[in-house]
Amino acid sequence: MMSKQSKRSSTGLLVLCVCAALLNYISASPEVCTNSLLPGAKGRPGEKGLRGEEGHTGKMGPTGDKGDKGDKGLDGSSGLKGKPGTTCDCGRYRKVVGQLDVNTGKLRNAVKFVKNVILGLRETEERYYLLVKEPKRFREASMNCKLRGGTLAMPKTTNTNHLMADYVSQAGLTRVYIGVHAQSMDADGTSGYVYADSSPLQGFAAWSQEEELDSRLSPTTNSSCVELLSTGTWGHVECEATMFFMCEFPKSRRRGGGRGAG
C-alpha cells in the first residue's frame, strides 16, 4: 500500500518538474514574447451611434460689414391698364377761374388807385417816387427822405426825368429839389455835380443850355444844389432856399417804401 502512494508522489513530482521546465522555456524564448505583442487585424466598423441632443443657443456674434450693392434687378412687368376717368365738368371751373381773374384785375386797379391817387405815388419797374409838399431846405429835404426810408429822387435816365417832370406838372408845381448837388472840391481844386448816392453824372443830364455852361464851371457855394422844373430841365439853386422835394424808394425795400408813403 505504501508503494502505491510513493509511486503516485513520484509521478506528481515528475509532472510538476516537466511543467516548470516548460514554463521556463516559454519565458526565456524572445520569439514567443515578441509574437504575443503584435496587434491583431483591423476590426469591422461599428454601427453609427445615436445623435445627441441639440445644445443651447450661443450668444449673437458682432454685426458684419455692409456688403456691396447688388446689381439692378430686371424691370417688372407693366401694370394693368387703369379704368377710364370721369368726364370733367370744366365749364364750372373755367367760370370760377375767370371770376378770379376779374377780381385780381379789380384788386390791381384798386392798388394802383391807392398808390397814384390817394398816396400820390409814381413808379417805374424798380422804384417808387413820392412828391413831398413840405417846404424844406436842401439838407432838410435830404434828411426827410432818409427818415422815410429813401433818398432824394435821382433822374438818371430820360424816361425817369420825364416821369418826374410830369409828376411835378400834374401837381400844379413849377420846381422841386432833386438828388443832384455839387460835390466837395477835390485836392486839385476841381469840383463837379454828383447824385445823392455820390455817383457821378454820366450819360444823362437835363441842364438847359445856359445851366449846362454854368455846370461846367466850378459851382459856387450859393448855387451848389439842383432843382427840377416842370418842363423837365434842371437848374442851379441856392441850397438854403425852401421848396418842395421828391423822394425815391427802391421796390426791393418794401418797408422803406411803406414808410415813405406814410
Side-chain angles (χ1 to χ4, degrees), residues 26-96:
I26 293 174
S27 300
S29 176
E31 293 183 0
V32 173
C33 292
T34 303
N35 291 338
S36 62
L37 297 178
L38 292 176
K42 185 177 180 180
R44 296 179 181 179
E47 296 180 358
K48 185 176 181 180
L50 297 176
R51 183 177 181 180
E53 296 180 358
E54 185 175 353
H56 297 291
T57 303
K59 295 183 179 180
M60 182 179 293
T63 303
D65 297 334
K66 185 177 180 180
D68 297 333
K69 184 177 180 181
D71 297 333
K72 183 179 179 181
L74 300 176
D75 295 336
S77 57
S78 301
L80 300 176
K81 186 177 181 180
K83 297 180 180 180
T86 58
T87 304
C88 175
D89 186 11
C90 298
R92 182 177 62 179
Y93 295 109
R94 288 196 187 99
K95 185 176 180 180
V96 173

Side-chain angles (χ1 to χ4, degrees), residues 141-152 245-247 249:
S142 178
M143 183 61 65
N144 189 281
C145 288
K146 290 181 179 179
L147 292 175
R148 294 171 182 267
T151 61
L152 279 172
F245 54 96
M246 190 179 301
C247 301
F249 310 93

